[in-house]
Amino acid sequence: MSHVLEVLKKVYGYDQFRGQQQAIIEAVIAGEDTVTIMPTGGGKSLCYQLPALIRNGLGVVVSPLIALMQDQVDTLHQLGINAVFLNSTQSYREQQEIEHNLKSGHIKLLYIAPERLLMPQTIILLKSIEVALFAIDEAHCISQWGHDFRPVYQQLSILKDHFNNVPLLALTATADQQTKFEIKQKLKIPNAIEFLHSFDRSNIRYHIVESATKEALWGFIQSNHPTDAGVVYCLSKKSVEETALWLEQKGRTALAYHGGLNKDIRAKNQQRFLREDGIIIVATIAFGMGIDKPDVRFVAHMNLPKSIEAYYQETGRAGRDGQPANAWMSYKLQDLVQHKHMLEDSEGSSDFKQIGNQKLNALIDLCESSDCRRISLLSYFDEKLDQPCGNCDNCLNPPEQFDGTIPAQMAISVAYRTQQRFGTAYLIDILVGNMNERIKQNDHHMLPTHGVGKEITKKQWRSIFRQLIAKGLLELQGEYKTLRLTPACREVLQGKRQLQLNKVGKTPVKTPINEASSTKTPDAEKLFEELKKCRAQIAKDGEVPAYIICHNSTLTEIAEVKPTSLEKLYNIRGLGQSRIEKYGQELINVVLKFREDQTKEKNTLKQTNLETLELLKKGLAVENIAKERKLSLSTIQEHCALLIWHRLLNLQSVYDINNDEITEINQHLVAANFSTELRLKPVFEALNERYSYPILKCVAAHLYPCAQSQSE
Ligand code: ADP
Ligand code: ZN
């Protein structure tokens, strides 16, 4: 095994490098300068940490995100790596002590803010010791044209003057040609080797729906992420507050985060989101920069963001750990109108406003498109995907289309015949033949287009208008966002261009399930919860967030493999030597106790239940088992409920029941206060007897492992 692979396994507990990590690491070890462009979650940290461990001397990591330094250093400590940070949050005494330790030569990694690095005393200090490498994180901050420009980054040019022989790595997740050029130029690394990665976040599943209600948001969260951490973005402070409260009433822990909250509350909510499991943060876009939480399982947008870049960045906060995650967005025409107003009222130049408008239009185009979302998204970043991704709503559930040429002609002509002076809602009223005061005053009931579109619902009309805007045939204009024709209209009006449009209504209410949460066997699921509790305690004792102790993916693997000795832990991904020494035994103890409990539980189950279990495992259907065992169907169904309750059986392996149905049943279980009342009759009746008692019982056993369901 190569040396770098050995270190990877021993320190990090990983078997393989990702993407070009190994090539980057080897180049740095050989002393080369490098520029790495890799999306969030791609694994940039390893690219400088590992060479710093192998080369002699101190690895210096420059980062503008001082809020993250503590986390990074804590993570390194878990790995048994001696790391420190220096920034303005520390007292003079602390800083003195750290400088002293740096001189001693025992420290492998130093995280430092650029301002601090550039102080003459720091340069002198670093010159007096051996430096293994400089890593410039978030290197795009050097670009004046980018959105994160930090003037101090430009002064990093002095590094090469002072440390000509020390390899320098520039790393970023956002870079176009211009930024890359500036990075090389300003850092004086013209010959740096470039490592460019795809921007694709293949583990994120994209869903975009139109005008979803809060209930639809809840349906998405409840059926895909009943216990996961996530972020919900809203446009206004008011809707942040309302949505957070509403999710709380639904039984989730949901915390608000926006600019109007006092600084302490904001910090506290962010802290809880990072440290506790399964919290939903409801935020305006003010939330996110510097959030490194790896196990955010979903990001939901209740409104349209302001550009594709923003959408990519905000959704990118999901699934940094590489496990499946969902990005869900609901948007409406009103969002677009609101963004355009904000843009017009802003201070920017006319160029700025024009670019802002183009960006919004590109995003609407993505929303209204019936093509693979990933292809559209990546093409915006000039990247080509060879085939549809199979992991977005349009791929999984292709929208139905229809020949929309004639409705499009109607829509365009009604805008034209009303002198392009009205907005969508009014034009739709004319099309469907409404007779309101305003229409009468304007004599618009006399127009030939009045009522020509009454066969089409208002909802479908709204969608048609949005699609025409997205296709650049109509545009919103002026203070009142009236609809204006564009030159591209002509071909459609003349019938020279045929238009395929999406149908509304059949948009997936049923959001595809995020496999990550559903593939565990029931006993692995139960053990996973136990392991999470154990991790929470370790994290609490060490005063660090749980994900710093280890990731969910590591716990999932333990829950599936159920290792019973320390040696066996070395085969689990994400557990290196240091972590195993620190708390391997505690994890093993959880597994041992679980196995013991399971044996006990099995002993309390009667032989007859276990026989049913055996036959179920062989793949026999419930009806056939009843026949074979010469028992009644309801008896076997009782067995199933008991087995599910003991987590020996998975609900969905016995009954063909989908997550929407489970959600529906659960709403009634909650309404009937099942967890304390333990009565199914009200639920059976409220659901109009659509589900049989045994099914309700199994679902209840699945959802409420603590409540013993009673038969009625
Ligand atoms: P970035 O800085 O590019 O956003 P990180 O360096 O934080 O990404 O890495 C993202 C996640 O991927 C981390 O949880 C890290 O432990 C994990 N990771 C990195 N490299 C590997 C690898 N070779 N195998 C498995 N997991 C990895
Ligand atoms: Zn797709």
Side-chain angles (χ1 to χ4, degrees):
M1 207 198 296
S2 76
H3 186 43
V4 284
L5 265 174
E6 251 171 63
V7 179
L8 181 72
K9 177 74 194 162
K10 182 164 167 224
V11 177
Y12 295 87
Y14 296 137
D15 297 312
Q16 286 168 349
F17 285 106
R18 273 197 200 150
Q20 304 181 75
Q21 277 177 332
Q22 185 162 1
I24 299 167
I25 289 165
E26 282 170 355
V28 178
I29 293 174
E32 302 279 356
D33 298 325
T34 55
V35 175
T36 294
I37 298 170
M38 204 189 261
T40 307
K44 286 186 281 300
S45 335
L46 214 66
C47 299
Y48 55 82
Q49 290 174 1
L50 217 150
L53 295 182
I54 291 178
R55 279 177 71 94
N56 286 333
L58 174 75
V60 179
V61 187
V62 183
S63 166
L65 307 171
I66 56 178
L68 291 185
M69 290 183 182
Q70 181 77 57
D71 257 26
Q72 273 149 344
V73 166
D74 284 341
T75 306
L76 288 164
H77 289 168
Q78 296 303 323
L79 299 173
I81 298 170
N82 221 338
V84 294
F85 65 87
L86 266 179
N87 66 36
S88 51
T89 64
Q90 293 156 314
S91 71
Y92 181 70
R93 281 280 297 277
E94 278 176 284
Q95 299 190 17
Q96 289 279 299
E97 202 181 306
I98 289 165
E99 288 185 7
H100 180 78
N101 286 338
L102 286 170
K103 283 188 195 137
S104 77
H106 295 311
I107 298 193
K108 281 312 312 179
L109 278 157
L110 164 69
Y111 284 78
I112 191 165
E115 294 81 2
R116 174 73 204 213
L117 172 70
L118 290 163
M119 283 162 68
Q121 72 194 76
T122 316
I123 299 288
I124 293 170
L125 169 76
L126 292 178
K127 280 189 143 177
S128 73
I129 60 177
E130 188 167 12
V131 178
L133 56 87
F134 285 102
I136 316 295
D137 208 0
E138 313 288 341
H140 61 281
C141 293
I142 215 164
S143 163
Q144 320 194 31
W145 307 106
H147 50 288
D148 284 334
F149 177 50
R150 309 226 173 186
V152 61
Y153 255 65
Q154 299 214 336
Q155 296 168 39
L156 294 171
S157 60
I158 66 157
L159 286 177
K160 272 289 161 186
D161 301 336
H162 289 286
F163 303 91
N164 190 29
N165 293 324
V166 177
L168 198 152
L169 301 83
L171 307 114
T172 175
T174 39
D176 43 47
Q177 290 295 335
Q178 172 66 23
T179 316
K180 202 173 69 191
F181 172 77
E182 271 188 277
I183 289 174
K184 284 178 148 188
Q185 190 197 32
K186 301 270 162 55
L187 291 176
K188 297 190 183 159
I189 48 169
N191 300 320
I193 310 175
E194 292 177 12
F195 295 95
L196 311 180
H197 292 74
S198 162
F199 272 78
D200 184 18
R201 300 287 310 278
S202 57
N203 60 321
I204 299 181
R205 180 172 287 182
Y206 299 100
H207 319 257
I208 303 181
V209 298
E210 194 263 316
S211 302
T213 57
K214 270 205 217 114
E215 283 297 340
L217 169 73
W218 177 243
F220 159 74
I221 294 177
Q222 175 71 352
S223 48
N224 299 295
H225 304 286
T227 59
D228 293 332
V231 182
V232 177
Y233 283 112
C234 300
L235 210 51
S236 71
K237 294 170 192 166
K238 188 165 155 258
S239 56
V240 163
E241 297 282 351
E242 284 170 4
T243 310
L245 194 66
W246 187 77
L247 288 171
E248 283 276 349
Q249 284 162 357
K250 293 277 184 189
R252 292 293 304 257
T253 310
L255 307 173
Y257 190 102
H258 59 70
L261 286 171
N262 134 341
K263 203 165 139 239
D264 292 340
I265 297 183
R266 263 196 340 231
K268 195 171 135 244
N269 287 353
Q270 173 165 336
Q271 182 86 337
R272 282 191 63 194
F273 175 67
L274 295 180
R275 303 218 160 183
E276 293 172 33
D277 271 332
I279 288 191
I280 299 176
I281 200 118
V282 187
T284 52
I285 45 166
F287 182 79
M289 183 66 176
I291 294 301
D292 228 354
K293 189 175 167 65
D295 55 356
V296 175
R297 289 271 69 83
F298 70 92
V299 168
H301 282 92
M302 287 305 282
N303 306 90
L304 202 66
K306 68 175 194 297
S307 63
I308 292 187
E309 285 100 330
Y311 174 69
Y312 176 82
Q313 211 173 37
E314 285 153 24
T315 54
R317 295 186 178 123
R320 293 184 72 123
D321 54 8
Q323 301 295 308
N326 279 311
W328 181 94
M329 171 163 78
S330 162
Y331 75 100
K332 46 195 176 312
L333 198 55
Q334 191 52 34
D335 298 339
L336 181 69
V337 171
Q338 203 170 339
H339 274 300
K340 294 210 167 191
H341 276 305
M342 288 191 315
L343 202 60
E344 270 151 35
D345 296 345
S346 72
E347 305 274 284
S349 64
S350 67
D351 270 1
F352 171 83
K353 290 179 183 175
Q354 200 196 341
I355 292 174
N357 260 314
Q358 283 166 1
K359 289 186 177 219
L360 275 168
N361 291 342
L363 181 56
I364 276 290
D365 202 17
L366 170 74
C367 295
E368 289 293 338
S369 163
S370 55
D371 301 330
C372 170
R373 306 281 189 199
R374 202 175 307 272
I375 289 183
S376 313
L377 197 57
L378 290 175
S379 76
Y380 187 79
F381 298 109
D382 292 327
E383 207 180 307
K384 242 186 103 174
L385 207 64
D386 291 335
Q387 52 187 17
C389 73
N391 193 28
C392 73
D393 52 356
N394 284 346
C395 282
L396 292 163
N397 206 345
E400 266 186 71
Q401 295 207 310
F402 67 102
D403 181 348
T405 315
I406 291 175
Q409 287 169 344
M410 293 177 182
I412 294 168
S413 82
V414 74
Y416 179 72
R417 286 179 185 271
T418 52
Q419 284 74 47
Q420 312 180 54
R421 288 193 296 114
F422 295 89
T424 322
Y426 183 81
L427 296 181
I428 292 175
D429 276 337
I430 299 178
L431 284 168
V432 300
N434 272 358
M435 276 294 190
N436 61 37
E437 276 310 303
R438 206 167 151 219
I439 288 181
K440 280 195 215 150
Q441 263 170 18
N442 291 326
D443 270 347
H444 285 155
H445 57 299
M446 310 297 280
L447 288 175
T449 35
H450 186 257
V452 287
K454 54 174 176 282
E455 308 299 321
I456 297 174
T457 63
K458 277 190 161 190
K459 187 168 179 186
Q460 178 71 67
W461 271 121
R462 282 195 290 274
S463 162
I464 292 170
F465 275 100
R466 276 196 320 275
Q467 294 182 64
L468 296 179
I469 294 168
K471 288 184 189 300
L473 297 168
L474 292 174
E475 64 190 9
L476 293 167
Q477 193 205 8
E479 190 184 348
Y480 297 106
K481 296 292 161 274
T482 54
L483 284 173
R484 188 174 64 179
L485 277 59
T486 70
C489 266
R490 181 166 306 178
E491 282 188 329
V492 178
L493 280 180
Q494 294 172 343
K496 288 188 188 150
R497 178 171 163 198
Q498 196 228 5
L499 278 183
Q500 281 298 112
L501 298 178
N502 294 339
K503 273 193 191 170
V504 294
K506 292 198 73 181
T507 36
V509 192
K510 203 193 287 178
T511 25
I513 300 164
N514 168 357
E515 281 86 1
S517 54
S518 62
T519 48
K520 286 189 203 109
T521 58
D523 65 334
E525 185 72 49
K526 196 172 168 192
L527 175 54
F528 175 71
E529 293 303 322
E530 296 297 319
L531 289 164
K532 257 173 49 179
K533 276 186 214 148
C534 170
R535 177 182 63 178
Q537 192 56 48
I538 299 171
K540 206 167 162 215
D541 294 344
E543 292 180 20
V544 292
Y547 59 80
I548 283 186
I549 300 302
C550 67
H551 285 179
N552 281 356
S553 56
T554 302
L555 295 187
T556 303
E557 209 175 313
I558 300 178
E560 272 153 13
V561 179
K562 303 187 184 61
T564 49
S565 69
L566 278 182
E567 290 74 62
K568 290 185 181 151
L569 276 187
Y570 283 92
N571 295 326
I572 304 286
R573 258 172 306 159
L575 290 183
Q577 191 167 357
S578 161
R579 284 191 162 120
I580 294 179
E581 280 166 11
K582 284 193 166 77
Y583 38 74
Q585 194 56 50
E586 282 180 68
L587 296 172
I588 293 293
N589 290 346
V590 175
V591 176
L592 290 174
K593 168 138 196 324
F594 178 81
R595 285 185 173 236
E596 199 182 298
D597 289 351
Q598 223 180 13
T599 320
K600 271 192 214 152
E601 236 169 53
K602 272 199 178 154
N603 291 341
T604 64
L605 279 176
K606 286 196 219 114
Q607 189 53 35
T608 176
N609 292 310
L610 294 175
E611 265 172 48
T612 299
L613 180 62
E614 282 312 307
L615 293 172
L616 283 166
K617 277 189 178 162
K618 281 188 190 151
L620 259 70
V622 179
E623 293 77 15
N624 297 342
I625 297 176
K627 257 185 228 151
E628 178 160 338
R629 299 197 58 198
K630 299 197 173 56
L631 291 170
S632 75
L633 184 61
S634 64
T635 306
I636 302 296
Q637 285 167 331
E638 287 290 329
H639 291 177
C640 291
L642 202 63
L643 292 166
I644 291 172
W645 188 67
H646 279 280
R647 293 297 175 263
L648 293 167
L649 188 67
N650 192 342
L651 170 67
Q652 278 155 322
S653 70
V654 207
Y655 290 109
D656 187 17
I657 184 165
N658 66 38
N659 287 30
D660 288 340
E661 291 168 320
I662 297 178
T663 307
E664 185 189 13
I665 294 175
N666 189 34
Q667 278 163 359
H668 291 281
L669 288 169
V670 172
N673 209 357
F674 173 80
S675 55
T676 50
E677 302 276 325
L678 301 178
R679 290 178 69 239
L680 285 175
K681 193 156 180 253
V683 180
F684 180 70
E685 283 164 3
L687 284 160
N688 297 325
E689 311 186 5
R690 272 187 293 128
Y691 300 94
S692 68
Y693 271 112
I695 291 191
L696 292 180
K697 212 163 169 181
C698 287
V699 172
H702 168 74
L703 293 171
Y704 299 91
C706 297
Q708 174 92 298
S709 68
Q710 291 177 346
S711 42
E712 288 180 67

